[in-house]
């Protein structure tokens, strides 16, 4: 793929482009879907693509190519250049990173055993059986294996390669049409894969969720399961991007250096974390990935930056460049010192939310949002789950949620699935006085 990258770069420069980034992918993905306790579909994909970012006199364009022959490349670049010439310049564009860079290998991001895995079905069966043992009647979900190669070439003397693997499973368990639970497990090396834990958790929650009663509106202390809080933090990962801040899609506008979370909260983006699904050696400009503290002791320390935005704000890039905007790699909420049981013991009357979806913002800059609990949701009294409930909605403010965190579990969970596209590491989280409204039936 480096030959393709060099050809694209050469043609782009000949046409008249200035800064050019070519990021090519070679991907092998396997999917195993299951429903009603049986494997139903198995698919394999193998594809290549090249993503191009190019600049002409501060006019920025990008495109994606899946047909990689020379004629199509040349025609596409000519059309792209014509588009760029017709655009208004982005006056606050300040270029891409200057290479070359040195890269370090990151442990537990590539595993030959995943590449050579012939039969992933046994892991699906383990997950199904674990859920059934906990009391589930029906089990469904999906398992993926991934092997990705990444080739980066830029006009600023960067040529970089990375490869990685992953295996993950998402399991939903059902006792009846209403009672359900969800569990996931995502890793980069096969020996750490634990489909049993995903199935067992899904089955446990589903069994507890039988015969739910209508939930009541009000203010409640809420324990967010890692699966639920990861959903919220995945939105936080977008809002921490300087692009989102400038575009007015973030409640963090104008809040650098201000307290936006409770005192003990430390939130990071860690692009070089071992065994994390979003880990890469370099960002889309070739800058080696790093650990960046976004919130420290409740105070907003930085936005996520690429080179251009860093130069605009007279600071250093945080190595979060995407081709069009800064992005997070792995969001990491530092753990606390509570066991799960101790967290529950702190709640006199509250709610345990195991999962959420349909998270929507009514006002991005204010941070007003709502999200709907799915799967098992439970009323807590005096530290104990007393009954499952349903038809409620979390309706609150994102900064208020962060400011009202009063306790964190001491164990971190790695969450990545289709509702959490940016991988998140989070413990169980206890939040005071969360707004709960009735969900529309």
């Amino acid at each position: 793929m480096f030959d393709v990258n060099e050809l694209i770069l050469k043609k782009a420069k000949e046409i008249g482009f200035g800064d050019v980034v070519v990021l090519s992918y070679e991907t092998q993905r396997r999917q195993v879907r299951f429903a009603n306790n049986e494997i139903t579909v198995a698919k394999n994909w193998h594809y290549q693509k090249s993503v191009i970012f190019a600049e002409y006199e501060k006019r920025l364009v990008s495109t994606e190519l899946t047909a990689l022959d020379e004629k199509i490349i040349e025609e596409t670049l000519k059309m792209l250049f014509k588009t760029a010439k017709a655009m208004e310049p982005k006056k606050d564009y300040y270029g891409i990173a200057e290479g070359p860079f040195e890269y370090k290998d990151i442990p537990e991001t590539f595993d030959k055993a995943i590449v050579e895995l012939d039969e992933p079905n046994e892991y699906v069966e383990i997950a199904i059986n674990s859920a059934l043992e906990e009391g589930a009647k029906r089990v469904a979900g999906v398992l993926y294996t991934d092997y990705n190669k990444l080739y980066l070439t830029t006009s600023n003397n960067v040529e970089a390669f990375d490869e990685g693997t992953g295996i993950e499973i998402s399991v939903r368990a059902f006792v009846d049409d209403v009672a359900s639970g969800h569990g996931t497990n995502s890793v980069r090396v096969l020996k750490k894969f634990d489909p049993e834990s995903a199935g067992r958790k899904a089955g446990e929650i589903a069994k507890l969720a039988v015969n739910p009663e209508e939930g009541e509106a009000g203010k409640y202390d809420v324990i967010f399961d890692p699966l639920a809080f990861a959903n919220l933090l995945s939105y936080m990962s977008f809002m921490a991007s300087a692009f989102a801040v400038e575009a007015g899609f973030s409640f963090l506008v104008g809040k650098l250096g201000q307290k936006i979370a409770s005192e003990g909260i430390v939130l990071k983006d860690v692009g070089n974390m071992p065994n994390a699904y979003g880990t890469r050696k370099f960002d889309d400009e070739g800058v080696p990935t790093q650990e960046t503290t976004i919130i420290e002791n409740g105070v907003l320390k930085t936005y996520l930056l690429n080179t251009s935005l860093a130069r605009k704000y007279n600071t250093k890039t945080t190595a979060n460049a995407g081709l069009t905007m800064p992005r997070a790699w792995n969001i990491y909420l530092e753990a606390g010192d509570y066991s799960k049981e101790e967290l529950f013991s702190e709640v006199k009357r509250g709610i345990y939310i195991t999962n959420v979806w349909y998270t929507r913002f009514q006002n991005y800059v204010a941070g007003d949002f709502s999200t709907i609990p799915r799967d098992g949701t439970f009323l807590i009294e005096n530290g104990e789950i007393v009954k499952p409930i349903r038809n409620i909605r979390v309706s609150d403010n994102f900064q208020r949620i962060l400011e009202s965190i009063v306790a964190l579990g001491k164990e971190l969970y790695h969450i990545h699935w289709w509702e959490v596209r940016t991988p998140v590491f989070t413990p169980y989280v206890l939040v005071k006085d969360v707004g709960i409204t009735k969900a529309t039936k």
Side-chain angles (χ1 to χ4, degrees):
M1 293 295 286
F2 276 128
D3 290 341
V4 173
N5 283 19
E6 290 294 340
L7 176 63
I8 294 172
L9 178 59
K10 178 175 178 289
K11 295 289 185 183
K13 296 297 286 185
E14 288 175 353
I15 288 171
F17 281 114
D19 292 335
V20 180
V21 177
V22 186
L23 191 60
S24 292
Y25 300 82
E26 186 174 359
T27 298
Q28 296 179 35
R29 166 162 264 211
R30 179 182 301 178
Q31 178 197 73
V32 181
R33 295 208 307 261
F34 50 101
N36 294 320
N37 310 333
E38 294 181 350
I39 292 171
T40 56
V41 176
K43 291 184 177 181
N44 292 277
W45 294 270
H46 184 187
Y47 62 89
Q48 297 175 327
K49 68 176 182 179
S50 294
V51 184
I52 304 165
F53 167 87
E55 173 265 342
Y56 169 71
E57 296 182 353
K58 290 184 177 284
R59 296 161 172 88
L60 311 180
V61 289
S62 63
T63 192
E64 181 177 306
L65 289 172
T66 53
L68 301 176
D69 63 85
E70 185 170 349
K71 182 179 179 182
I72 290 177
I73 288 170
E74 194 161 355
E75 289 175 351
T76 301
L77 288 171
K78 287 179 179 178
M79 290 177 60
L80 206 60
F81 190 68
K82 184 177 180 181
T83 300
K85 290 177 73 174
M87 296 173 63
E88 290 295 318
K90 181 175 172 56
K91 295 180 180 179
D92 59 350
Y93 172 74
Y94 298 103
I96 58 176
E98 297 277 352
F101 298 98
E102 293 184 4
Y103 304 106
K104 296 180 180 179
D105 288 334
I106 303 171
E108 296 185 335
T109 54
F110 174 79
D111 186 1
K112 190 177 179 181
I114 293 178
V115 179
E116 297 177 346
L117 182 63
D118 289 326
E119 190 56 71
N121 294 6
E122 64 177 287
Y123 298 106
V124 172
E125 292 166 1
I126 289 170
I128 291 172
N129 290 334
S130 297
L132 294 174
E133 288 170 4
E134 294 299 324
K137 303 299 183 185
R138 294 183 294 113
V139 186
V142 62
L143 176 145
Y144 288 104
T145 68
D146 292 289
Y147 175 34
N148 300 305
K149 295 180 180 179
L150 189 63
Y151 306 79
L152 176 67
T153 307
T154 82
S155 56
N156 278 5
N157 202 25
V158 172
E159 185 172 276
F161 172 76
D162 196 9
E163 63 179 339
T165 54
I167 183 168
E168 58 183 349
I169 195 166
S170 174
V171 184
R172 290 197 76 203
F174 304 84
V175 173
D176 51 36
D177 291 338
V178 177
S180 63
H182 193 171
T184 67
N185 189 250
S186 304
V187 294
R188 300 289 296 271
V189 292
L190 190 60
K191 67 182 180 181
K192 293 195 172 183
F193 189 44
D194 187 10
E196 180 180 352
S197 67
R200 197 166 299 285
K201 180 177 181 181
E204 288 174 352
I205 293 170
K207 186 177 180 180
L208 285 172
V210 173
N211 297 323
E213 298 181 12
E214 291 292 310
E216 298 297 329
K219 295 284 188 181
Y220 292 85
D221 295 348
V222 171
I223 293 177
F224 287 95
D225 187 276
L227 199 64
F229 209 69
N231 179 285
L232 302 185
L233 289 181
S234 69
Y235 285 90
M236 177 72 186
S237 73
F238 168 71
M239 291 186 166
S241 167
F243 173 88
V245 172
E246 289 195 343
F249 286 102
S250 175
F251 71 96
L252 301 176
V253 174
K255 294 179 180 176
L256 279 178
Q258 296 182 22
K259 190 170 182 296
I260 63 162
S262 62
E263 185 68 30
I265 297 302
V266 177
L267 186 73
K268 301 177 180 181
D269 175 62
V270 189
N272 56 2
M273 184 188 302
N275 195 35
Y277 233 78
T279 293
R280 281 176 27 181
K281 287 182 182 179
F282 47 82
D283 72 4
D284 287 3
E285 296 175 351
V287 180
T289 52
Q290 63 182 42
E291 178 179 304
T292 299
T293 300
I294 302 168
I295 300 173
E296 185 173 30
N297 296 325
V299 176
L300 179 64
K301 304 298 289 185
T302 186
Y303 302 130
L304 301 180
L305 302 166
N306 58 19
T307 296
S308 178
L309 283 162
R311 289 170 178 168
K312 178 179 178 178
Y313 294 113
N314 196 30
T315 186
K316 294 181 179 179
T317 177
T318 59
N320 288 98
L323 280 188
T324 55
M325 64 180 184
R327 49 163 291 194
W329 306 113
N330 301 289
I331 289 295
Y332 184 95
L333 176 60
E334 283 198 356
D337 52 8
Y338 283 75
S339 68
K340 183 180 176 182
E341 292 73 21
E342 289 169 339
L343 272 181
F344 274 80
S345 71
E346 292 290 316
V347 180
K348 297 226 180 307
R349 190 169 189 274
I351 296 174
Y352 169 39
I353 296 176
T354 67
N355 199 6
V356 296
W357 64 348
Y358 291 108
T359 303
R360 301 290 185 266
F361 281 81
Q362 289 73 53
N363 186 316
Y364 282 93
V365 174
D368 297 332
F369 79 101
S370 65
T371 190
I372 299 176
R374 67 180 297 198
D375 303 311
T377 304
F378 306 95
L379 185 69
I380 304 169
E381 291 182 353
N382 298 319
E384 301 288 338
I385 291 175
V386 293
K387 63 182 177 182
I389 58 176
R390 64 176 180 174
N391 291 332
I392 63 170
R393 181 191 305 267
V394 176
S395 300
D396 213 306
N397 176 272
F398 210 105
Q399 182 168 332
R400 203 210 66 79
I401 292 285
L402 293 175
E403 291 173 335
S404 301
I405 295 173
V406 293
L408 298 167
K410 58 186 177 182
E411 186 174 353
L412 288 174
Y413 297 83
H414 181 190
I415 308 296
H416 180 251
W417 66 293
W418 62 267
E419 280 283 345
V420 183
R421 299 298 176 92
T422 300
V424 173
F425 288 78
T426 179
Y428 284 82
V429 179
L430 173 57
V431 183
K432 286 284 188 183
D433 297 327
V434 177
I436 300 295
T437 57
K438 292 286 289 180
T440 303
K441 291 185 180 179

